[in-house]
Amino acid sequence: MVLPALLIFLAFGVIPLLGALGLSFTTWDGIGAIHPSGLTSWRATLTDPGLPHALYVTFLIMALSWAFQTPMSLLLGVFLAGRQRYRAVLAVVYFVPLLLSSAAIAITYKALLDPNFGLSAGLGVGFLAQDWLGRGRLAVGVVIFIVSWQYIPFHSLIYQAGVRQIPVSMYEAAQLDGAGRVRQFFSITLPQLKYTIITSSTLMVVGSLTFFDLIWVLTAGGPADATRVLAVQMYIKGFQGNQMGPASAIAVILVFVGLGLALLLRRLGGDARESQTEGA
Amino acid sequence: MTTSRRTFLKFAVGVPLTGAALAACGSSGPSSAGSGGGSTGSGASYWYLSGPPGEKIRTDTVNRFNSANPNTKIKGTTFQNDAYKTKIKTAIGAGQSPTIIWGWGGGGLRSYVQANQVEDLTSWFGQNAAVKNRLFPSSFGAATVDGKIYAMPAETVQPIVLYYNKKLFDQIGAQPPQTYGDILDLVPKFNAKGIAPFSLGGQSRWTNMMWLEFFYLRLGGSELFQRVMTEKGAWSDPVSLKGLQMTQDLVKANGFVKGFSSITADSNADQALLYRGKAAMMLHGSWSYGIQVSNGGKFVPDGDLGWMNFPSVDGGTGDPADTVGNPGQYLSISSKATAAEKETAKNFFKTAVLSPEENKEWIDTGQVPISTGTESQLNASKDKDFLNFVYGIASKAKNFGQSWDQALDPTAAETLLDNISKLFQLSISPQQFADNMNKVIGQ
Amino acid sequence: MATTLTPDTDQAGEAPGRSHSGRSQSPRHWNWPGGLAGWIWLGIVIIPIYWIIITSFKTSANYFSANPLKPPTDLTFENYKLVIQEHFIRYFFNSLVVTLGAVVPAVLVSFMAAYAIVRGRGRFLWSTNALFLAGLAIPLQATIIPIYLIIIRLKLYDSLLAIILPSIAFAIPLSVLVLTNFIRDVPNELFESMRVDGASEWGTLWHLAFPLSRPALVTVTIYNGLIIWNGFLLPLVLTQSPERRTLPLALSAFQGQYTVNVPAVLASVVLTTLPILVLYVVGRRQLLSGLTAGFGK
């Protein structure tokens, strides 16, 4: 039963990846002959100060976008779980960003963030005329914001579904005990959503490793290298700089980072399930 | 449910394919080379850029060739600029190049040559002197690697031009700058009126590079301009450091529009600043003229757009007539193509590329084709002032430098753009810039 | 046989939006932080969308000349005409074929694999699962040249199948992860009782696990569907002729060498998004009830 998935994954996922692994031990400009060169590419990659920086930016964007998206999605999910009709309409509007391609979103935000012709001019609010994509920290913030803009709807949808599953009786009991709304949220809603939170976090964290299109079109990793995450660093090395060897080494590192994170989150998921079984 | 060891082995044999795949990445390539471009028998395939106005002109040229040569047709495929860069590299890397490769010449072409991916056209040009003579001599520099010609220069010449908004100069009662010193005097005057002295699409990086290129060209001449691309340590030459310092001085003096690092050139926002009267001057490629005509409303027709070559820099040794930009675009023939495909491609170069019909189409879009003897056509155009200016620069410049990012090999070009971006951010000093560049140049 | 996991999920499949008494947190209590965030977020979401729509009706000459947030005074349908002329219908159809052709098999094989991983044991399955986990972070860009070579050797270059096959492969890891997490939650007693009734593993897979996993299946279907629908690199590298182009490639048709025709790009964005938005509005209840059916635990 596992075979169909395994075979197709081997053919179009693993074999190409082994190709990349193989290339990480060569020197290749992506155009001409491939020369085996042992650990040269790895040495170059691991001593390149660009690597720790790219790792740092990757984890920074991953952590901050998780930290921003999770409470927001939770809040919106709980809100949308309410029964009023207009909330359903809101949910439809929220969903639109998810349907747009990252390239389209990047083009849109580039235009809106233009200090001269963008939002600041449109709303007449001078404060909005910042050098959004020209200052490192601001650009990181912008990336996190846009990622959230794109994905919060999806995660609030998951939370909305989760909240609707919480048995009403639990809230009724809590109300009888005199617990307020805030107490109810922290003692019922949040623990009951644990599994949902883990699924949603997995999607966010692992998904963030593959952010490429958005950042590439929005900032191309800039200003300078402020938003240069691993995937962008790899693309710049390989496809801009014609160094397929080091680019492949970065790809392998990316896979290991992903594996580590996935295993970590699985462990968290496993713990959650155990506690549930105990509770049941 | 559990899978036996035997089934596991069954797909484990799939793995050796990787070795084959890797081997095929090499220059040996599959025998069906050219099929990536769509093999068309004795015809040829041709990949080129999409988007107005060039796409239509390139397609028209292909169509004209095909109707004249029904047995050896060329199959054209278009790609958007950034998409093309990825696509062509993947295809050539996998040994699946199209017959005719559209390119920018310079360092990119050199990397193809070093990988034996493109045909040496030197002797062909020797036999077809007429073809060579109808093109600007300056366009051949970027097509030449180690003394041999590997590409057919094509399309238009694109020097970098200093544009200015005449109305804004009238408004502050100033004259267009004669020297760089005049520019420095103009900066505070425009700033005092709330007008940005220079527009700049700084996010695109190559836009910033144009400034550096002119500083080097005017300060140290074309000799320094070329030297920094090949000679180790040339970036820390005192004149080089002075050019880097001037760049940062101009940034610090608020020479560029506020928030320039957030402005992109591809959305034309930088050009809009000029024609909408928010910035007084702009350094940009000659193609910008056509964009300002089509998007600027009455700006160009009313004669409000002014232009000049970059002025001389006080104390510099460079010739103020020299310029920099794209001396042309380039068409190469894949060395992996069949003899018949190559023959078709050469026939295309000879009879279709920059034919009188194609020349006219380029001129109609406000660009100057790299063909010689087009003066009368240029004079008949509604854009004749600008076209004659560009033609004059291109034909009078003793040195037409190819933009560094195109001329350098891709690895060094990436490092350069990266450091230029940091230089304009003021996050590195001129000395650090020079040190970073010395690591990749002239190894 | 129960299609529910625990007693409280009885009302799982019901349509949302219907007025319902005892169930939700009572509307009498106004959830003010949620409400505030909800309305603020509405503004944040709507401004860019509004901008996309109005700008798609502007001429490229007027794009920079007026307030970016004011509706165009010279409403033009030129951009839409341009997009439709660029064979929009064909690209749309290709995107549809690729998305359906990749998502359906991807979800089905991932589901089978997830079931096998959860129910079976042994080194082989463990390693397979670890392999899938590692696959979560395979960067497509790094593997694109080997993929290109494989596709050429299979003689699939410039076909829609060439996009579909790697898309399936890249959808599998995340789908397996989400689905295994979910199937693990199905109480073992349910599987045991099926076995006692004499059902085969195959029957248990489709008759018990599949309906139970609906919410997770819905999640991975949407997630993969959106990623594949908007995929750019695979269609770019693996196809060539205009007849095989998908919508994201068409989007780049309005980006020239030095310039982007922003209004035309946006018109194409609107046209690309509209059909899936309609699909979402129509299928929203289904979708939500699918998600609702089990994400609470």
Side-chain angles (χ1 to χ4, degrees):
Chain A
M1 260 176 211
V2 77
L3 282 187
L6 186 58
L7 286 180
I8 192 161
F9 183 64
L10 282 176
F12 296 99
V14 175
I15 292 179
L17 182 67
L18 290 177
L21 180 67
L23 285 176
S24 71
F25 296 101
T26 66
T27 301
W28 186 35
D29 62 0
I31 300 168
I34 303 171
H35 304 288
S37 62
L39 291 173
T40 315
S41 294
W42 278 99
R43 209 169 290 134
T45 305
L46 294 176
T47 54
D48 180 0
L51 180 73
H53 177 77
L55 276 166
Y56 164 73
V57 176
T58 305
F59 281 108
L60 182 71
I61 289 180
M62 181 190 289
L64 291 180
S65 64
W66 179 83
F68 182 62
Q69 284 187 83
T70 301
M72 270 310 277
S73 308
L74 206 56
L75 200 59
L76 291 174
V78 171
F79 170 67
L80 290 174
R83 290 288 169 187
Q84 291 95 329
R85 187 102 198 126
Y86 77 92
R87 299 193 187 180
V89 176
L90 289 190
V92 173
V93 178
Y94 288 168
F95 203 69
V96 177
L98 195 61
L99 308 177
L100 304 172
S101 71
S102 298
I105 292 174
I107 291 174
T108 301
Y109 270 99
K110 260 163 105 166
L112 285 176
L113 295 175
D114 186 290
N116 300 291
F117 299 105
L119 262 185
S120 60
L123 296 171
V125 183
F127 162 75
L128 288 169
Q130 299 293 328
D131 200 355
W132 292 111
L133 302 173
R135 299 257 170 275
R137 294 226 170 128
L138 276 180
V140 170
V142 166
V143 168
I144 291 164
F145 175 80
I146 298 176
V147 165
S148 309
W149 186 81
Q150 192 175 7
Y151 288 106
I152 278 180
F154 183 74
H155 296 284
S156 16
L157 200 70
I158 295 181
Y159 283 120
Q160 178 191 7
V163 170
R164 289 207 175 161
Q165 274 320 106
I166 302 174
V168 186
S169 52
M170 295 183 82
Y171 290 103
E172 284 166 358
Q175 238 155 9
L176 286 180
D177 291 348
R181 302 275 303 170
V182 177
R183 269 286 298 283
Q184 288 180 27
F185 176 79
F186 283 103
S187 58
I188 302 174
T189 313
L190 213 52
Q192 287 289 312
L193 288 177
K194 191 168 180 186
Y195 172 72
T196 316
I197 293 172
I198 287 168
T199 302
S200 147
S201 302
T202 308
L203 292 170
M204 282 179 196
V205 165
V206 175
S208 75
L209 284 180
T210 50
F211 289 155
F212 173 77
D213 294 15
L214 178 79
I215 295 180
W216 187 247
V217 179
L218 190 73
T219 64
D225 52 9
T227 55
R228 198 178 282 187
V229 294
L230 274 179
V232 172
Q233 169 85 349
M234 181 199 76
Y235 187 85
I236 288 175
K237 282 270 180 223
F239 280 84
Q240 307 273 96
N242 278 11
Q243 294 175 289
M244 287 293 177
S248 302
I250 297 173
V252 174
I253 293 171
L254 200 49
V255 171
F256 276 106
V257 171
L259 180 64
L261 286 168
L263 286 174
L264 192 74
L265 285 157
R266 271 211 73 111
R267 179 145 299 179
L268 288 174
D271 293 349
R273 269 192 307 280
E274 273 158 39
S275 64
Q276 255 171 20
T277 347
E278 280 160 22
Chain B
M1 189 51 41
T2 51
T3 315
S4 71
R5 188 166 183 82
R6 200 154 48 94
T7 24
F8 176 74
L9 285 175
K10 215 182 274 171
F11 47 75
V13 299
V15 174
L17 228 174
T18 316
L22 268 179
C25 288
S27 57
S28 57
S31 56
S32 62
S35 71
S39 193
T40 49
S42 56
S45 52
Y46 172 26
W47 289 1
Y48 54 90
L49 293 192
S50 63
E55 179 179 358
K56 184 186 175 298
I57 301 174
R58 293 170 193 130
T59 308
D60 286 349
T61 298
V62 169
N63 289 341
R64 271 193 298 270
F65 179 81
N66 286 347
S67 46
N69 301 277
N71 295 324
T72 55
K73 286 194 178 178
I74 285 181
K75 188 174 182 297
T77 309
T78 62
F79 299 95
Q80 188 267 331
N81 191 48
D82 294 328
Y84 177 74
K85 289 178 185 167
T86 307
K87 174 89 186 176
I88 193 74
K89 191 164 286 177
T90 321
I92 293 181
Q96 302 286 326
S97 161
T99 315
I100 303 173
I101 305 165
W102 193 101
W104 292 266
L109 180 66
R110 176 180 286 271
S111 66
Y112 296 160
V113 171
Q114 282 162 350
N116 294 319
Q117 294 283 3
V118 289
E119 189 86 340
D120 180 356
L121 298 174
T122 317
S123 59
W124 184 78
F125 274 112
Q127 291 150 18
N128 296 275
V131 178
K132 196 173 179 182
N133 292 337
R134 67 178 163 89
L135 304 175
F136 285 167
S138 65
S139 66
F140 278 87
T144 308
V145 177
D146 299 333
K148 291 178 181 163
I149 304 169
Y150 289 93
M152 165 89 178
E155 305 192 355
T156 59
V157 61
Q158 299 168 330
I160 306 298
V161 175
L162 181 62
Y163 298 94
Y164 60 95
N165 185 325
K166 290 183 187 168
K167 262 194 190 152
L168 297 181
F169 273 81
D170 289 347
Q171 202 176 313
I172 66 157
Q175 293 301 311
Q178 303 288 318
T179 67
Y180 185 68
D182 292 348
I183 287 181
L184 289 179
D185 293 342
L186 284 167
V187 167
K189 287 183 190 159
F190 280 115
N191 276 328
K193 293 274 181 186
I195 299 165
F198 282 98
S199 173
L200 181 64
Q203 211 209 350
S204 304
R205 303 192 301 178
W206 54 265
T207 42
N208 300 353
M209 180 188 64
M210 300 187 297
W211 278 93
L212 216 50
E213 286 175 336
F214 269 118
F215 284 149
Y216 276 55
L217 203 54
R218 295 288 182 264
L219 280 173
S222 66
E223 182 257 346
L224 179 69
F225 182 91
Q226 297 298 336
R227 209 152 57 85
V228 293
M229 287 193 282
T230 52
E231 190 184 304
K232 195 167 190 67
W235 286 99
S236 35
D237 190 289
V239 186
S240 295
L241 288 175
K242 188 177 173 203
L244 295 167
Q245 189 58 51
M246 282 167 70
T247 312
Q248 291 200 324
D249 289 347
L250 190 59
V251 174
K252 286 178 193 154
N254 293 321
F256 300 107
V257 62
K258 193 167 164 280
F260 65 84
S261 301
S262 293
I263 301 172
T264 54
D266 54 6
S267 68
N268 302 337
D270 52 348
Q271 293 155 81
L273 285 171
L274 183 76
Y275 63 69
R276 300 261 296 120
K278 293 189 176 188
M281 296 172 276
M282 174 180 72
L283 203 52
H284 214 297
S286 60
W287 60 82
S288 164
Y289 176 84
I291 295 167
Q292 296 184 58
V293 169
S294 57
N295 290 353
K298 290 197 173 318
F299 180 62
V300 182
D302 283 356
D304 291 334
L305 176 68
W307 53 78
M308 65 174 83
N309 198 348
F310 195 88
S312 63
V313 173
D314 317 270
T317 58
D319 181 345
D322 285 353
T323 191
V324 59
N326 302 327
Q329 285 74 46
Y330 296 90
L331 305 177
S332 304
I333 299 177
S334 165
S335 58
K336 303 287 189 289
T338 64
E341 287 169 347
K342 289 178 185 170
E343 209 39 58
T344 303
K346 285 172 182 165
N347 194 28
F348 177 69
F349 289 176
K350 193 165 155 182
T351 60
V353 172
L354 290 178
S355 65
E357 293 92 335
E358 189 187 325
N359 282 339
K360 184 178 179 309
E361 284 189 75
W362 285 115
I363 291 169
D364 288 345
T365 65
Q367 301 199 67
V368 175
I370 58 164
S371 304
T372 50
T374 54
E375 289 92 336
S376 61
Q377 273 179 297
L378 297 175
N379 275 321
S381 163
K382 64 175 167 47
D383 303 310
K384 67 175 186 332
D385 292 344
F386 183 76
L387 292 173
N388 280 323
F389 162 75
V390 171
Y391 188 88
I393 284 192
S395 51
K396 275 177 217 137
K398 281 193 207 74
N399 296 289
F400 194 128
Q402 188 187 21
S403 283
W404 284 329
D405 57 339
Q406 307 290 3
L408 281 168
D409 74 82
T411 313
E414 183 49 43
T415 310
L416 174 68
L417 289 172
D418 205 19
N419 278 289
I420 285 179
S421 161
K422 288 177 183 162
L423 185 76
F424 274 74
Q425 292 270 309
L426 307 178
S427 63
I428 53 172
S429 68
Q431 189 58 51
Q432 285 168 314
F433 180 101
D435 292 345
N436 293 344
M437 286 314 296
N438 285 337
K439 284 180 198 152
V440 293
I441 298 289
Q443 285 174 329
Chain C
M1 186 78 225
T3 49
T4 53
L5 302 182
T6 56
D8 8 281
T9 52
D10 288 357
Q11 303 146 353
E14 68 159 41
R18 198 187 296 160
S19 85
H20 197 288
S21 51
R23 190 162 168 72
S24 75
Q25 300 143 55
S26 135
R28 278 176 292 136
H29 298 277
W30 170 242
N31 171 6
W32 69 265
L36 189 68
W39 286 104
I40 291 176
W41 197 249
L42 180 73
I44 289 175
V45 164
I46 233 169
I47 289 178
I49 296 169
Y50 166 78
W51 178 84
I52 290 174
I53 294 171
I54 60 161
T55 310
S56 71
F57 288 104
K58 290 183 180 174
T59 60
S60 64
N62 277 354
Y63 170 53
F64 281 119
S65 62
N67 184 319
L69 295 180
K70 277 213 183 99
T73 44
D74 55 334
L75 196 82
T76 174
F77 289 91
E78 242 354 88
N79 302 312
Y80 285 89
K81 232 170 88 190
L82 206 66
V83 173
I84 305 234
Q85 277 167 356
E86 282 281 324
H87 309 290
F88 177 81
I89 308 284
R90 180 198 288 158
Y91 297 160
F92 178 78
F93 180 74
N94 287 341
S95 277
L96 201 65
V97 170
V98 167
T99 306
L100 288 178
V103 171
V104 173
V107 171
L108 289 183
V109 299
S110 303
F111 176 68
M112 284 160 59
Y115 181 81
I117 287 167
V118 172
R119 297 284 299 150
R121 51 192 80 250
R123 259 196 96 66
F124 168 68
L125 283 172
W126 187 89
S127 331
T128 307
N129 191 28
L131 190 67
F132 286 148
L133 286 179
L136 284 168
I138 296 183
L140 190 55
Q141 289 80 21
T143 52
I144 193 68
I145 291 182
I147 289 177
Y148 182 53
L149 284 168
I150 292 171
I151 289 294
I152 284 171
R153 291 193 162 219
L154 295 175
K155 306 233 179 299
L156 288 175
Y157 181 71
D158 203 21
S159 69
L160 294 182
L161 195 60
I163 312 174
I164 290 173
L165 289 173
S167 300
I168 297 176
F170 277 81
I172 285 172
L174 195 74
S175 309
V176 171
L177 178 72
V178 171
L179 290 169
T180 47
N181 273 346
F182 198 83
I183 299 173
R184 263 185 232 281
D185 256 16
V186 177
N188 210 29
E189 303 84 65
L190 288 179
F191 291 115
E192 286 308 316
S193 66
M194 284 288 277
R195 186 182 299 229
V196 171
D197 292 347
S200 63
E201 282 289 0
W202 189 251
T204 313
L205 169 72
W206 297 112
H207 295 122
L208 177 72
F210 195 77
L212 279 183
S213 310
R214 199 168 119 192
L217 289 167
V218 170
T219 307
V220 296
T221 303
I222 306 175
Y223 199 80
N224 291 324
L226 289 169
I227 287 176
I228 296 168
W229 179 265
N230 287 323
F232 181 76
L233 190 63
L234 288 175
L236 169 71
V237 172
L238 301 177
T239 64
Q240 181 192 340
S241 53
E243 294 78 37
R244 304 277 177 279
R245 286 190 179 164
T246 58
L247 284 172
L249 283 183
L251 196 73
S252 70
F254 305 103
Q255 294 164 263
Q257 187 176 354
Y258 300 109
T259 68
V260 179
N261 183 348
V262 178
V265 166
L266 296 177
S268 134
V269 167
V270 171
L271 284 177
T272 310
T273 313
L274 217 51
I276 19 175
L277 183 65
V278 170
L279 214 66
Y280 170 70
V281 171
V282 173
R284 207 182 138 266
R285 294 188 165 200
Q286 272 297 316
L287 166 70
L288 205 62
S289 57
L291 286 173
T292 306
F295 257 110
K297 283 150 298 39

